[in-house]
Every structure is written in C-alpha cells, then in structure tokens.
Amino acid sequence: MKFNFWKKKIKLNNSEENQLVKITSFLESIDHRMVDDIKKILNGEYGLNKKNSNTTIEYFDFELKEDGFGIDFYPMDKDNTQLGYKKILPEYPNGFLRDMDLDIDTDNYDFDNDSEMERMDEFYVQLQIKVIDWFNRCWIKAGGLNAKESYVIKIHDSSTMFDLKRQKWSKNNN
C-alpha cells in the first residue's frame, strides 16, 4: 500500500522509534480481534439505527480517532449521513493508545521548541501510517477484498481516505 499523502520529513529520536516498534508489536498481537470485528461487519453486524433501516447504504466508513486511536464504524448514505454506529475493538473504549498506555511521554517535549513539536507531529503521522497499514492487513485477512460494498478508512477530520476495496488513497469529499 502506498501512502502518497505523507512523506517523512523529520527524523524521529530513538525513544520515538522504539515507541513505534512497541505499538506495532501490540497491534500485531491483536490482529485476530480486528479480523473478527471486520468479519462481523462483513456479515452484516454494523449497528444500523432502526429509523434508518429502510435507507439505502451508499458506503461504509471506518474512522480512526486521533485521540487514543480508537476506531469507529459507520454505515453511510449518499449524503454522507451516518446511519448507524459500531465501536471497533470495544475492549479499548478510549482507543488502544490510551487504554494500553502506549502513547509517547509528552513530558519529554519542550512545547516552546518548534523542532520538538515538529518531531512529535511526525511521530503521530508515522503512527497513523502504521495503524492504517495494520488495519488494511487485517481487512485483507478478514476477506474484505471480496466485499461487494464500498468500504473506506479515514483519520478523523482528514482530507484523505483509503479505499479498502480498491486499495488506494483518495481525497475525502466530506
């Protein structure tokens, strides 16, 4: 998978690199959980609101929350209205980063130093890339490439999204 919208510009320090390795190891340890959640969704368990049961679903949206890195799932209509809701990996209600204490220690940053802030921002960009890459691998393991419907994953408030069916990045039109 190519990430055309992000380019690494700033070198991370050893602590940040080690934290990315630690988070990646954790994600790999819960592959089976994510694959199970995706399989349930592919089998129709996606939290459609009763009042929207007759509404036509246009596509399905996985959304990565930057605050803790939780993942939510929404069936969507043609007007980009959420027709339901499902929490992915509900055992991590605040997102795996917060619930597993995997976030970087921000006490080590001088917030008046622009280069340190840029390095911290780069850490989170690299983390987003790793999480979406991991999610996509789980998507493929769960059989998502065979889905007839359209599925995307995006980072909350991002201008880009990854089309899981077509396996490519595009601009988010919402």
Side-chain angles (χ1 to χ4, degrees):
M1 168 174 23
K2 292 182 180 176
F3 295 92
N4 297 327
F5 300 104
W6 296 300
K7 293 183 181 175
K8 190 172 181 178
K9 299 174 186 169
I10 299 163
K11 181 156 175 50
L12 300 179
N13 68 24
N14 285 339
S15 173
E16 294 155 343
E17 290 286 352
N18 290 340
Q19 195 63 22
L20 285 175
V21 169
K22 184 177 177 182
I23 292 168
T24 301
S25 294
F26 170 76
L27 290 173
E28 290 170 357
S29 77
I30 63 167
D31 274 8
H32 64 288
R33 282 290 301 118
M34 181 56 78
V35 169
D36 287 348
D37 279 0
I38 292 170
K39 283 181 179 179
K40 288 176 185 173
I41 287 169
L42 290 170
N43 287 323
E45 295 179 37
Y46 43 75
L48 189 64
N49 294 334
K50 286 185 181 185
K51 69 178 183 175
N52 295 321
S53 62
N54 293 329
T55 306
T56 302
I57 298 171
E58 187 73 19
Y59 68 98
F60 297 93
D61 183 0
F62 291 95
E63 185 175 65
L64 179 64
K65 307 284 187 184
E66 285 188 277
D67 182 23
F69 281 73
I71 301 173
D72 296 330
F73 176 78
Y74 307 99
M76 306 289 281
D77 70 8
K78 66 180 173 25
D79 297 320
N80 298 314
T81 303
Q82 296 171 352
L83 304 174
Y85 167 82
K86 182 175 181 69
K87 179 80 175 155
I88 306 301
L89 300 174
E91 60 271 32
Y92 308 110
N94 302 306
F96 66 84
L97 213 62
R98 297 273 154 56
D99 289 340
M100 296 305 296
D101 199 25
L102 291 169
D103 210 345
I104 56 174
D105 184 1
T106 56
D107 291 339
N108 293 329
Y109 291 90
D110 176 2
F111 291 106
D112 292 326
N113 183 328
D114 288 343
S115 66
E116 286 197 14
M117 292 302 299
E118 289 173 357
R119 203 178 69 245
M120 188 172 79
D121 290 345
E122 181 63 27
F123 170 84
Y124 284 106
V125 166
Q126 293 303 311
L127 180 57
Q128 291 169 357
I129 291 168
K130 289 187 179 303
V131 171
I132 294 200
D133 186 49
W134 164 76
F135 183 90
N136 189 53
R137 286 192 311 272
C138 292
W139 171 258
I140 292 168
K141 285 180 191 175
L145 293 178
N146 297 322
K148 293 179 181 161
E149 301 87 0
S150 179
Y151 290 83
V152 300
I153 186 168
K154 63 184 174 188
I155 298 160
H156 181 73
D157 286 339
S158 173
S159 64
T160 59
M161 64 183 175
F162 187 74
D163 184 319
L164 293 158
K165 187 168 175 88
R166 294 186 187 118
Q167 294 288 290
K168 69 179 190 174
W169 287 99
S170 64
K171 289 287 183 188
N172 184 358
N173 296 327
N174 298 342

